[in-house]
Amino acid sequence: MTSFSKDTAASLAQFINCAYEVALTPVGRKPPMPAKFPAGYAIVAYAQATDDFWGDSSPEYYGFVAQSAAANQIVVAIRGTYFIVEWLIDFEVGWTPFAPIFGSGNVEDGFYSVFSTLQFVDTNLQPFNLQNYLGQAIKSNPKTSIIIEGHSLGGPIASMLALVSVNRNSALQAPTTVYTFAAPAPGDKTFRDYYDANAPLTYRVWNILDPVPTALQAFGYYQIAGEGIRLVPTAEQLEGYDFLMVNCNHSLMTYQWLLNPKWPLESICQWPFDAASLAEQRQRTIAAVRTRRLKHAAGGKLS
C-alpha cells in the first residue's frame, strides 16, 4: 500500500490537465501531444465517451492512457466537465443501477451515461482493450503500478472504471491506485459501501472550499473513500487566490497549487496584488474564515 504524498498527487494531476487539452481535438482525429506533458511517458491510447443530454449526444475525448517503461507505471487520466452539455450532465441528479456489477447499488445517472459509453482507441485510432492491456502489463511485470485518476466529472468515471477493472481481474487490485480531485459523490449508500469494500486504494482529494464534492450529498448521494484527503487552505494561501470564485476553488490547477505551490494558478484565480485590493481581500479572508470556524464549531457542514 502506497502512502499519500501531496507532491505525487500534484504531479499526477498534470496528466489530467493534459487530458483537458486532448479534449480540444474532435473525435476521429488524432490529438497533438499536449504541452507540458510529463517527461518519460508516452500516450498509448485515448479515452472516448459520448455526452448525451436529452437526445443531444456527441462523442468526445475524455482522456488517455500513458505509460512509462522507466517508471514501471501506467496512468489512465480522465478529465472533468469541459463542454456545456457536460455541466448539464453533472446536474441530472437521477439514479441508475451500476449495471456492470450486480448488487453494487445505484449511481448518478449523468455520470453513468458517460461511463457506459467509455471506450479506448490506440494512437492509430483503432479499438484498444484497456482491460487486456492492464492485465498483460501486470503479467509481464508484476512491479508495474497502475494509476486511474480523474477530476470533477472524471472522478466518478475513474472510480467506476477502477472498480470494474479489479472486479474483472483481481490481479489488478494490488498494483492499482485511484486518485480523484474535486469529485462529486457518485452513488447511493449501497454503492459507497460496495466501492469501499472492493475497490483499489483510493485517494479522494477535495478542497473544503469547493462546493462540488459535497453538492450531491443534499440529494442522498454518498461519497466514497471515507473523509478523503481534505485540502484546507491556510490564511496565507487564501490571500493567494480568489477563493470566493467557485471556479477557482474547483479548478484542477488550484488543487495542484494547494498540494504543492510550485504549480501555477490559473491567471483568473490570482489576486491583483495592489495595496487597496490586498487590504480588502484580507478583510474578506478574515470574515470568511471566521464564519467557517463558527459554523464548524456549531456542527455545520464545511461546504
Side-chain angles (χ1 to χ4, degrees), residues 99-112:
I101 304 176
F102 179 76
S104 60
N106 298 299
V107 292
E108 200 275 335
D109 182 70
F111 304 155
Y112 186 74

PDB file of all heavy atoms in Angstrom, residues 99-112:
ATOM      1  N   ALA A  99     -24.802  -1.221 -13.522  1.00  0.00           N
ATOM      2  CA  ALA A  99     -25.064  -2.471 -14.227  1.00  0.00           C
ATOM      3  C   ALA A  99     -23.868  -3.422 -14.342  1.00  0.00           C
ATOM      4  O   ALA A  99     -24.065  -4.646 -14.324  1.00  0.00           O
ATOM      5  CB  ALA A  99     -25.624  -2.168 -15.618  1.00  0.00           C
ATOM      6  N   PRO A 100     -22.628  -2.940 -14.488  1.00  0.00           N
ATOM      7  CA  PRO A 100     -21.519  -3.895 -14.668  1.00  0.00           C
ATOM      8  C   PRO A 100     -21.318  -4.858 -13.507  1.00  0.00           C
ATOM      9  O   PRO A 100     -20.751  -5.943 -13.692  1.00  0.00           O
ATOM     10  CB  PRO A 100     -20.301  -2.981 -14.831  1.00  0.00           C
ATOM     11  CG  PRO A 100     -20.855  -1.693 -15.331  1.00  0.00           C
ATOM     12  CD  PRO A 100     -22.168  -1.550 -14.651  1.00  0.00           C
ATOM     13  N   ILE A 101     -21.764  -4.479 -12.294  1.00  0.00           N
ATOM     14  CA  ILE A 101     -21.577  -5.341 -11.129  1.00  0.00           C
ATOM     15  C   ILE A 101     -22.921  -5.464 -10.413  1.00  0.00           C
ATOM     16  O   ILE A 101     -23.380  -4.517  -9.764  1.00  0.00           O
ATOM     17  CB  ILE A 101     -20.509  -4.782 -10.172  1.00  0.00           C
ATOM     18  CG1 ILE A 101     -19.184  -4.560 -10.927  1.00  0.00           C
ATOM     19  CG2 ILE A 101     -20.298  -5.730  -8.996  1.00  0.00           C
ATOM     20  CD1 ILE A 101     -18.109  -3.923 -10.077  1.00  0.00           C
ATOM     21  N   PHE A 102     -23.536  -6.619 -10.524  1.00  0.00           N
ATOM     22  CA  PHE A 102     -24.861  -6.839  -9.936  1.00  0.00           C
ATOM     23  C   PHE A 102     -24.803  -6.660  -8.422  1.00  0.00           C
ATOM     24  O   PHE A 102     -23.903  -7.154  -7.750  1.00  0.00           O
ATOM     25  CB  PHE A 102     -25.357  -8.247 -10.266  1.00  0.00           C
ATOM     26  CG  PHE A 102     -26.697  -8.559  -9.667  1.00  0.00           C
ATOM     27  CD1 PHE A 102     -27.855  -8.041 -10.226  1.00  0.00           C
ATOM     28  CD2 PHE A 102     -26.793  -9.358  -8.532  1.00  0.00           C
ATOM     29  CE1 PHE A 102     -29.101  -8.312  -9.674  1.00  0.00           C
ATOM     30  CE2 PHE A 102     -28.035  -9.634  -7.967  1.00  0.00           C
ATOM     31  CZ  PHE A 102     -29.188  -9.113  -8.538  1.00  0.00           C
ATOM     32  N   GLY A 103     -25.781  -5.928  -7.893  1.00  0.00           N
ATOM     33  CA  GLY A 103     -25.884  -5.755  -6.454  1.00  0.00           C
ATOM     34  C   GLY A 103     -24.966  -4.707  -5.866  1.00  0.00           C
ATOM     35  O   GLY A 103     -24.854  -4.603  -4.640  1.00  0.00           O
ATOM     36  N   SER A 104     -24.332  -3.916  -6.720  1.00  0.00           N
ATOM     37  CA  SER A 104     -23.378  -2.915  -6.225  1.00  0.00           C
ATOM     38  C   SER A 104     -24.016  -1.557  -5.954  1.00  0.00           C
ATOM     39  O   SER A 104     -23.321  -0.600  -5.609  1.00  0.00           O
ATOM     40  CB  SER A 104     -22.219  -2.747  -7.212  1.00  0.00           C
ATOM     41  OG  SER A 104     -22.696  -2.321  -8.483  1.00  0.00           O
ATOM     42  N   GLY A 105     -25.329  -1.459  -6.108  1.00  0.00           N
ATOM     43  CA  GLY A 105     -26.012  -0.214  -5.797  1.00  0.00           C
ATOM     44  C   GLY A 105     -26.306   0.647  -7.005  1.00  0.00           C
ATOM     45  O   GLY A 105     -26.155   0.221  -8.160  1.00  0.00           O
ATOM     46  N   ASN A 106     -26.714   1.879  -6.726  1.00  0.00           N
ATOM     47  CA  ASN A 106     -27.090   2.831  -7.764  1.00  0.00           C
ATOM     48  C   ASN A 106     -26.099   3.987  -7.824  1.00  0.00           C
ATOM     49  O   ASN A 106     -25.516   4.369  -6.799  1.00  0.00           O
ATOM     50  CB  ASN A 106     -28.482   3.400  -7.490  1.00  0.00           C
ATOM     51  CG  ASN A 106     -29.552   2.339  -7.498  1.00  0.00           C
ATOM     52  OD1 ASN A 106     -29.766   1.665  -8.507  1.00  0.00           O
ATOM     53  ND2 ASN A 106     -30.240   2.169  -6.371  1.00  0.00           N
ATOM     54  N   VAL A 107     -25.934   4.531  -9.017  1.00  0.00           N
ATOM     55  CA  VAL A 107     -25.052   5.670  -9.216  1.00  0.00           C
ATOM     56  C   VAL A 107     -25.828   6.790  -9.906  1.00  0.00           C
ATOM     57  O   VAL A 107     -26.941   6.588 -10.399  1.00  0.00           O
ATOM     58  CB  VAL A 107     -23.807   5.291 -10.044  1.00  0.00           C
ATOM     59  CG1 VAL A 107     -22.908   4.349  -9.262  1.00  0.00           C
ATOM     60  CG2 VAL A 107     -24.204   4.658 -11.375  1.00  0.00           C
ATOM     61  N   GLU A 108     -25.217   7.959  -9.928  1.00  0.00           N
ATOM     62  CA  GLU A 108     -25.855   9.118 -10.564  1.00  0.00           C
ATOM     63  C   GLU A 108     -25.978   8.880 -12.062  1.00  0.00           C
ATOM     64  O   GLU A 108     -25.015   8.482 -12.720  1.00  0.00           O
ATOM     65  CB  GLU A 108     -25.022  10.370 -10.265  1.00  0.00           C
ATOM     66  CG  GLU A 108     -25.771  11.682 -10.433  1.00  0.00           C
ATOM     67  CD  GLU A 108     -25.756  12.179 -11.862  1.00  0.00           C
ATOM     68  OE1 GLU A 108     -24.823  11.806 -12.585  1.00  0.00           O
ATOM     69  OE2 GLU A 108     -26.663  12.925 -12.241  1.00  0.00           O
ATOM     70  N   ASP A 109     -27.165   9.113 -12.589  1.00  0.00           N
ATOM     71  CA  ASP A 109     -27.477   8.767 -13.977  1.00  0.00           C
ATOM     72  C   ASP A 109     -26.582   9.468 -14.986  1.00  0.00           C
ATOM     73  O   ASP A 109     -26.148   8.874 -15.974  1.00  0.00           O
ATOM     74  CB  ASP A 109     -28.945   9.101 -14.254  1.00  0.00           C
ATOM     75  CG  ASP A 109     -29.367   8.732 -15.658  1.00  0.00           C
ATOM     76  OD1 ASP A 109     -29.458   7.533 -15.960  1.00  0.00           O
ATOM     77  OD2 ASP A 109     -29.582   9.655 -16.470  1.00  0.00           O
ATOM     78  N   GLY A 110     -26.301  10.765 -14.747  1.00  0.00           N
ATOM     79  CA  GLY A 110     -25.462  11.503 -15.696  1.00  0.00           C
ATOM     80  C   GLY A 110     -24.051  10.963 -15.761  1.00  0.00           C
ATOM     81  O   GLY A 110     -23.476  10.813 -16.848  1.00  0.00           O
ATOM     82  N   PHE A 111     -23.466  10.653 -14.594  1.00  0.00           N
ATOM     83  CA  PHE A 111     -22.114  10.093 -14.575  1.00  0.00           C
ATOM     84  C   PHE A 111     -22.088   8.758 -15.310  1.00  0.00           C
ATOM     85  O   PHE A 111     -21.180   8.470 -16.089  1.00  0.00           O
ATOM     86  CB  PHE A 111     -21.621   9.887 -13.143  1.00  0.00           C
ATOM     87  CG  PHE A 111     -21.647  11.127 -12.288  1.00  0.00           C
ATOM     88  CD1 PHE A 111     -21.729  11.025 -10.908  1.00  0.00           C
ATOM     89  CD2 PHE A 111     -21.598  12.395 -12.852  1.00  0.00           C
ATOM     90  CE1 PHE A 111     -21.759  12.156 -10.105  1.00  0.00           C
ATOM     91  CE2 PHE A 111     -21.622  13.533 -12.071  1.00  0.00           C
ATOM     92  CZ  PHE A 111     -21.705  13.411 -10.692  1.00  0.00           C
ATOM     93  N   TYR A 112     -23.106   7.934 -15.022  1.00  0.00           N
ATOM     94  CA  TYR A 112     -23.121   6.601 -15.626  1.00  0.00           C
ATOM     95  C   TYR A 112     -23.338   6.678 -17.133  1.00  0.00           C
ATOM     96  O   TYR A 112     -22.822   5.849 -17.882  1.00  0.00           O
ATOM     97  CB  TYR A 112     -24.200   5.725 -14.989  1.00  0.00           C
ATOM     98  CG  TYR A 112     -24.143   4.298 -15.494  1.00  0.00           C
ATOM     99  CD1 TYR A 112     -23.131   3.442 -15.073  1.00  0.00           C
ATOM    100  CD2 TYR A 112     -25.083   3.817 -16.408  1.00  0.00           C
ATOM    101  CE1 TYR A 112     -23.044   2.151 -15.546  1.00  0.00           C
ATOM    102  CE2 TYR A 112     -25.013   2.522 -16.879  1.00  0.00           C
ATOM    103  CZ  TYR A 112     -23.995   1.691 -16.447  1.00  0.00           C
ATOM    104  OH  TYR A 112     -23.916   0.411 -16.926  1.00  0.00           O
TER     105      TYR A 112
END
